């Protein structure tokens, strides 16, 4: 007699966290679940979280790797605050994540790993699976490892390879639980292990075993469904911030009608931009993995001098090393895009954790008066458009531009509506081809009266020979000049060129137009701030939100916006760097709210803080 069909329950949102040892494949498992979910049309936001060590000691707390995915049938802004489901592959994964779980959350644990030795590694003398300490949760003990080995026994797979497939068993179980399509995962496994048919068979069998376990076990009596979210019509793909930024640079080259040159030295968390760009040579992309950070930016600046869109990618430590060449680019007044995927510092700091603490370095971290443009994307998909905007400013105004991403944005993912290429801005520029002086001479620092940009003369163009280098240039002629008046003029005109770049006005989200508190953010705080403000408005508390993409120059209407509110609150993942800028420039008593834990804000944290500000002033 066939078992009765299991009840299917509709949910509007779910947060799942996969956690295990850094060798358990949690990032791969989370990525595959996210891809399956994207196919169903849910809105998605993810948060990978992994150790900096290549392989921390197995079974220890420092070695725990996790991947959180939030999916819903409506527009969401964050990866979620608290998981509804935790998949814990060992005691360390359970202990590291237990404090984040709300009462009633489902915990799926791999009981095979709850040995005395593994319990001792995390300081437990008794198993929490047996001592009643997990009574407030819905506990699902599953012998993941032994069941996977049993499922693969007939395939003749080595025990070590069979054990490694336990993450696919877990993925199969969760895919069944939440009614995810699995065809793309099967195709992925066939591609990934194409040279090892035995591993293709093993992983497919483990996935199917997990699916079948969910279907037949009495421990899971309910399946869940999350309907597709209502989105604008078009073609979507799931994309990470680093991938979106790389594609944005490709699109910038196409729309500028210029070759793109990337000079990069591998550094966490920016390396994936180099990896992605290296796949797109057919679009005129040249990538060079340099021997160090200084060589990388030197090559990129040289490419700009030669007529390409020069780009270099790095993180905070690399920006410090590139500082002298950035200053040279400012003196030469050449286009250059510097991508800083921020991580927690100082020094090596927390290489795989997130922070927004490079703003001061981006704005001021050079010798002399050396202003440049700074912009920051607010989400993974926004990295695409921010990259195009950075290229546009660099090319039109002949300036270095620092693009401040961060680890949260770079490795997180969300659905991205693919734009039409012809709808992207035309950012093409024209090289100077003829002398521009009244006497037939070429004046390399004769400026465009609208943009204050100097001519872009490509080496080898007849009649346009000119001097370059770091010594101060004479106005118009570009000759070396030690004249005090000329130096002051050049310093001021370079600053004016940046300050006069027109950028879009900052937009205010204040639905009822009666808020007295404004929350001002930049970069990746957009999602948590937006989710917190949305929750407060749903409870009848008026609050306004504004978010900055352009940090240098700042929007022209920002001062007027700030003056319209009684209180301005600025949440940042640093010790108040934007708040200091706002206070100094606009004489506004901005209230900083800071977190430097290496993790993004939760919406609940901001909601509680902002509720107090709204109610108590």
């Amino acid at each position: 007699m066939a078992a009765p069909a299991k009840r299917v329950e509709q949910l509007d949102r779910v947060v799942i966290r996969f956690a295990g040892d850094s060798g358990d494949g949690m990032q791969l498992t989370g990525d595959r679940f996210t891809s399956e979910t994207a196919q169903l049309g849910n809105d998605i936001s993810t948060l990978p979280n992994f150790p900096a060590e290549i392989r921390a000691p197995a079974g220890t707390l420092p070695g725990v790797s996790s991947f959180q995915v939030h999916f819903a049938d409506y527009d969401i802004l964050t990866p979620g605050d608290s998981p509804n489901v935790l998949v814990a592959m060992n005691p360390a994964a359970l202990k590291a994540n237990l404090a984040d779980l709300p009462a009633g959350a489902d915990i799926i644990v791999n009981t095979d790993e709850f040995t005395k030795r593994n319990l001792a590694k995390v300081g437990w003398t008794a198993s929490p699976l047996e001592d009643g300490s997990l009574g407030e949760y819905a506990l699902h003990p599953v012998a993941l490892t032994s069941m996977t080995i049993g499922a693969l026994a007939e395939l003749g797979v080595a025990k070590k390879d069979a054990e490694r497939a336990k993450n696919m068993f877990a993925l199969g179980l969760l895919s069944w639980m939440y009614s995810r399509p699995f065809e793309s995962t099967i195709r992925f496994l066939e591609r990934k292990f194409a040279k090892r048919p035995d591993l293709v068979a093993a992983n497919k069998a483990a996935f199917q075993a997990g699916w079948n376990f969910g279907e037949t076990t009495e421990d899971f009596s309910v399946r869940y469904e999350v309907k597709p979210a209502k989105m604008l019509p078009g073609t979507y793909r799931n994309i990470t911030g680093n991938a979106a930024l790389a594609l944005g640079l490709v699109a910038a080259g196409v729309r500028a009608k210029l070759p793109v040159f990337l000079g990069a030295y591998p550094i966490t968390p920016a390396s994936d931009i180099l990896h992605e760009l290296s796949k797109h040579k057919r679009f005129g992309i040249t990538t060079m993995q340099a021997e160090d950070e200084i060589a990388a930016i030197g090559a990129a600046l040289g490419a700009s001098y030669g007529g390409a869109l020069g780009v270099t990618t790095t993180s905070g430590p690399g920006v410090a090393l590139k500082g002298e060449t950035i200053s040279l680019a400012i003196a030469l007044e050449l286009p250059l895009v510097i991508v800083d995927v921020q991580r927690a510092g100082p020094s090596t700091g927390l290489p795989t954790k997130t922070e927004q603490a490079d703003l001061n370095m981006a704005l001021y971290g050079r010798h002399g008066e050396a202003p440049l443009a700074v912009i920051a994307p607010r989400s993974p998909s926004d990295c695409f458009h921010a990259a195009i905007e950075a290229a546009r400013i660099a090319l039109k105004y002949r300036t270095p531009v620092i693009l401040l991403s961060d680890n949260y944005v770079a490795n997180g993912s969300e659905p991205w509506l693919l734009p039409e290429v012809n709808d992207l801005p035309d950012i093409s520029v024209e090289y100077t081809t003829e002398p521009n002086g009244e006497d037939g001479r070429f004046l390399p620092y004769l400026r465009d009266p609208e943009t204050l940009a100097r001519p872009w003369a490509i080496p080898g163009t007849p009649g346009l020979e000119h001097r370059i280098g770091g010594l101060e240039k004479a106005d118009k002629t570009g000759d070396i000049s030690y004249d005090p008046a000329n130096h002051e003029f050049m310093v001021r005109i370079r600053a004016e060129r940046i300050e006069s770049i027109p950028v879009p006005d900052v937009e205010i989200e204040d639905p009822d137009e009666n808020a007295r508190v404004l929350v001002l953010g930049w970069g990746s705080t957009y999602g948590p701030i937006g989710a917190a403000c949305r929750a407060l408005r749903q409870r009848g508390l008026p609050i306004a939100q504004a978010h900055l993409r352009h940090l240098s120059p700042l929007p022209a209407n920002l001062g007027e916006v700030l003056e319209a509110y009684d209180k301005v609150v600025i949440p940042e993942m640093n010790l108040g760097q934007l708040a200091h800028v706002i206070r100094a420039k606009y004489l506004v008593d901005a209230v900083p709210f800071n977190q430097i834990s290496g993790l993004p804000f939760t919406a609940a944290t901001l909601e509680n803080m902002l509720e107090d500000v709204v109610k108590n002033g």
Side-chain angles (χ1 to χ4, degrees):
M1 182 176 177
K6 296 191 177 182
R7 180 167 57 90
V8 177
E9 184 177 322
Q10 298 292 327
L11 300 174
D12 62 354
R13 60 178 288 272
V14 178
V15 180
I16 298 175
R17 184 180 297 176
F18 299 91
D21 194 72
S22 57
D24 286 337
M26 293 297 94
Q27 303 303 317
L28 174 63
T29 306
D31 182 69
R32 293 315 313 158
F33 189 89
T34 301
S35 295
E36 294 175 357
T37 299
Q39 290 184 58
L40 278 179
N42 297 129
D43 198 13
I44 308 168
S45 182
T46 68
L47 178 63
N49 190 4
F50 42 87
E53 291 78 12
I54 294 174
R55 190 69 171 90
T60 63
L61 291 171
V64 173
S65 173
S66 68
F67 188 105
Q68 183 164 302
V69 54
H70 181 192
F71 57 103
D73 64 4
Y74 60 90
D75 173 46
I76 57 176
L77 297 170
T78 74
D81 292 353
S82 303
N84 306 110
V85 182
L86 172 67
V87 180
M89 304 297 280
N90 60 19
L94 177 60
K95 186 170 186 178
N97 294 282
L98 195 56
D100 294 337
L101 300 181
D106 287 294
I107 303 177
I108 300 171
V109 290
N110 179 14
T111 56
D112 291 322
E113 292 296 319
F114 279 71
T115 63
K116 287 185 177 180
R117 182 182 180 189
N118 285 344
L119 290 168
K121 287 181 180 179
V122 298
W124 278 336
T125 56
S127 173
L129 308 185
E130 301 169 356
D131 65 7
S133 61
L134 301 178
E136 62 179 315
Y137 307 106
L139 182 64
H140 305 279
V142 181
L144 282 169
T145 304
S146 56
M147 291 179 71
T148 303
I149 293 173
L152 307 187
E154 295 183 0
L155 297 178
V157 179
K159 183 180 178 182
K160 187 175 182 180
D161 288 334
E163 289 179 349
R164 287 176 175 171
K166 64 182 179 289
N167 65 324
M168 287 297 107
F169 188 104
L171 178 60
L173 172 58
L174 269 294
S175 297
W176 172 85
M177 245 180 111
Y178 290 95
S179 309
R180 304 293 94 181
F182 58 81
E183 293 81 8
S184 66
T185 293
I186 299 302
R187 291 194 297 270
F188 168 80
L189 293 172
E190 291 171 346
R191 292 194 307 270
K192 182 175 178 63
F193 301 111
K195 296 181 180 180
R196 292 284 305 274
D198 56 329
L199 294 185
V200 173
N203 282 279
K204 288 169 65 174
F207 182 91
Q208 189 64 55
W211 183 284
N212 292 341
F213 176 74
E215 188 70 42
T216 57
T217 183
E218 295 182 1
D219 193 29
F220 297 97
S221 58
V222 181
R223 291 182 77 183
Y224 302 97
E225 285 185 352
V226 180
K227 295 293 186 182
K230 294 180 180 179
M231 296 184 176
L232 294 173
T235 302
Y236 287 81
R237 60 163 286 186
N238 187 50
I239 199 163
T240 66
N242 275 343
L245 203 154
L247 294 180
L249 292 171
V250 174
V254 170
R255 298 301 286 167
K257 303 179 180 65
L258 292 176
V260 176
F261 177 91
L262 173 70
Y265 180 76
I267 183 172
T268 301
S271 300
D272 284 343
I273 302 173
L274 168 63
H275 302 159
E276 181 65 32
L277 274 178
S278 66
K279 302 174 184 177
H280 301 289
K281 296 178 181 178
R282 65 187 182 279
F283 292 107
I285 309 295
T286 301
T287 56
M288 184 187 84
Q289 181 175 319
E291 66 268 25
D292 57 42
E293 297 280 7
I294 299 172
I297 190 172
L301 181 57
S304 288
Y305 177 59
L309 172 58
V311 182
T312 189
T313 53
T314 188
S315 191
V319 176
L321 290 166
K322 296 176 188 293
E324 184 176 5
T325 307
I326 295 173
S327 293
L328 175 60
I330 290 169
L332 295 179
E333 300 186 35
L334 286 172
L336 182 66
V337 175
I338 304 106
V339 177
D340 176 4
V341 186
Q342 299 166 96
R343 66 192 205 187
S347 189
T348 307
L350 304 176
T352 60
K353 309 303 179 183
T354 197
E355 210 161 78
Q356 290 181 296
D358 291 351
L359 178 58
N360 280 345
M361 181 164 62
L363 294 174
Y364 312 118
R366 292 162 296 283
H367 57 284
E369 294 288 345
L372 47 65
V374 181
I375 67 173
R378 68 186 191 183
S379 69
S381 62
D382 189 45
C383 287
F384 176 84
H385 300 285
I388 296 175
E389 175 68 354
R392 181 192 72 83
I393 292 174
L395 293 169
K396 185 172 183 177
Y397 297 93
R398 313 285 196 268
T399 178
V401 178
I402 292 182
L403 196 162
L404 283 176
S405 179
D406 65 43
N407 191 41
Y408 174 36
V409 163
N411 288 313
S413 62
E414 64 180 359
W416 174 46
L417 175 60
L418 272 63
E420 294 292 335
V421 174
N422 290 334
D423 292 338
L424 299 175
D426 181 353
I427 59 173
S428 57
V429 294
E430 293 184 1
Y431 305 133
T432 298
T433 58
E434 301 288 341
N436 56 0
E438 294 180 356
D439 56 358
R441 287 193 305 159
F442 175 55
L443 300 175
Y445 282 83
L446 181 65
R447 301 178 183 279
D448 183 305
E450 178 186 350
T451 64
L452 299 182
R454 78 176 187 90
W456 195 4
I458 307 307
T461 306
L464 303 190
E465 298 84 358
H466 61 285
R467 185 189 304 271
I468 64 168
L471 291 170
E472 183 62 279
K473 308 293 184 296
D475 179 36
K476 297 184 179 61
T477 66
D479 295 337
I480 294 173
S481 173
Y482 293 96
D483 178 66
N486 177 80
H487 176 62
E488 177 156 350
F489 173 81
M490 294 297 279
V491 168
R492 290 185 181 278
I493 199 71
R494 286 192 291 261
E496 184 182 348
R497 187 175 88 261
I498 301 303
E499 194 62 30
S500 62
I501 294 172
V503 301
D505 283 348
V506 63
E507 297 181 359
I508 306 95
E509 187 177 335
D510 185 3
D512 296 327
E513 298 184 350
N514 63 344
R516 304 316 309 155
V517 175
L518 172 70
V519 190
L520 181 66
W522 68 276
S524 65
T525 58
Y526 175 80
I529 291 173
C533 290
R534 178 187 290 176
L536 289 173
R537 293 187 195 114
Q538 289 173 347
R539 293 164 49 199
L541 296 175
I543 193 164
Q545 176 188 0
H547 209 77
L548 297 174
R549 166 182 278 183
H550 295 85
L551 298 161
S552 175
L554 290 163
N557 73 326
L558 182 57
E560 179 182 343
V561 168
L562 296 174
E563 290 179 1
Y565 293 89
D566 296 338
K567 186 76 70 175
V568 177
V569 183
I570 304 180
E572 295 181 82
M573 291 186 289
N574 57 43
L575 289 180
Q577 295 183 16
L578 177 63
H580 294 156
V581 172
I582 296 300
R583 284 181 164 190
K585 185 174 179 65
Y586 299 103
L587 302 181
V588 171
D589 187 19
V591 178
F593 184 76
N594 308 118
Q595 175 177 297
I596 43 175
S597 63
L599 295 171
F601 285 110
T602 64
T605 297
L606 294 181
E607 182 182 350
N608 291 335
M609 179 272 294
L610 293 171
E611 179 180 6
D612 183 65
V613 173
V614 171
K615 288 182 175 180
N616 302 315

